Amino acid sequence: DYKNKKIVFSTIKSALKDFKNFKKKEGENLLLDINTIIKKNNNIFDKIKKISNSDTKKELKKYKKKIKNYMPNLSKLDDDRLYQEIAIILEKKDINEELVRLNSHFKLFSLFLKSKSNEGKKKNFLLQEMIREINTIGSKSDNVKIRHLVVDMKDNLEKIREQVQNIL
């Protein structure tokens, strides 16, 4: 009877060790996958930022042209007032603040990934914040390229979110 107990405990111990090794390997693979997706999002982020920076000048020209088309008697308008109105429109469409926050979230998320402690809930919350920022970027931007990139980034964030849900 003692011999059977020893065999059972030895088998359980071996199974637990194998299970622990499997979970560790699975975690390493998840981390690799998440880091790959983060790199993709960083590239998308850089593209959005680049497009956004060049867009402001194009938007200003576009609005000036539209105003001239809609209001041929432009000379009656005060130039200062005109530029004020255009500035208000451009400010509403400006995504720089969201880009800064999103970048900050990316950095914090990377720190969470490097941390040894299991911070699944924090990661999940941060992912929600990232998705919120990227949604705002998509809704503020009139640029089709940016909107397409936003969809790609959201898709990537959802993939990470699914992986993080496994950690919770």
Side-chain angles (χ1 to χ4, degrees):
D1 195 38
Y2 174 75
K3 195 174 186 181
N4 287 339
K5 282 184 183 178
K6 197 172 183 181
I7 291 171
V8 168
F9 282 121
S10 175
T11 304
I12 291 172
K13 190 175 180 180
S14 177
L16 287 174
K17 184 179 177 186
D18 288 347
F19 180 72
K20 184 178 176 184
N21 288 335
F22 171 78
K23 293 303 277 180
K24 183 178 180 189
K25 186 66 179 166
E26 182 183 38
E28 290 168 356
N29 289 335
L30 278 174
L31 183 60
L32 283 173
D33 187 44
I34 289 171
N35 280 326
T36 300
I37 295 169
I38 287 171
K39 285 179 186 173
K40 287 179 185 177
N41 269 0
N42 284 333
N43 290 334
I44 293 170
F45 177 85
D46 291 341
K47 287 177 187 176
I48 290 173
K49 196 169 181 177
K50 186 177 179 182
I51 293 168
S52 175
N53 287 339
S54 68
D55 245 19
T56 305
K57 292 171 189 163
K58 289 178 187 174
E59 289 293 311
L60 179 60
K61 286 180 186 177
K62 184 176 87 177
Y63 286 122
K64 280 175 147 180
K65 187 177 178 182
K66 278 186 177 182
I67 289 169
K68 285 181 182 179
N69 286 338
Y70 292 129
M71 305 174 94
N73 300 328
L74 193 60
S75 60
K76 292 180 184 177
L77 273 179
D78 179 18
D79 278 351
D80 290 339
R81 178 70 181 157
L82 178 66
Y83 282 110
Q84 253 182 343
E85 292 299 325
I86 292 173
I88 290 168
I89 293 168
L90 289 175
E91 190 174 323
K92 287 180 182 178
K93 297 291 181 185
D94 183 32
I95 59 173
N96 190 55
E97 190 176 319
E98 287 78 12
L99 290 172
V100 168
R101 278 196 300 269
L102 186 59
N103 193 39
S104 172
H105 294 332
F106 283 161
K107 288 177 183 176
L108 186 56
F109 191 81
S110 289
L111 287 175
F112 286 163
L113 286 177
K114 292 174 185 168
S115 170
K116 296 292 181 195
S117 62
N118 182 2
E119 296 174 321
K121 288 184 181 183
K122 287 182 182 180
K123 290 171 189 160
N124 193 46
F125 175 76
L126 201 50
L127 282 163
Q128 286 176 332
E129 291 300 307
M130 286 187 246
I131 291 169
R132 199 171 286 131
E133 294 299 340
I134 198 67
N135 280 335
T136 304
I137 289 168
S139 66
K140 277 185 160 186
S141 181
D142 291 332
N143 187 301
V144 176
K145 289 179 186 174
I146 289 178
R147 287 189 173 182
H148 286 241
L149 291 169
V150 161
V151 170
D152 292 342
M153 190 177 282
K154 278 178 62 173
D155 183 49
N156 288 335
L157 289 174
E158 286 299 332
K159 288 175 185 172
I160 293 173
R161 195 172 179 176
E162 286 175 23
Q163 299 292 22
V164 167
Q165 294 295 323
N166 292 329
I167 297 170
L168 292 177

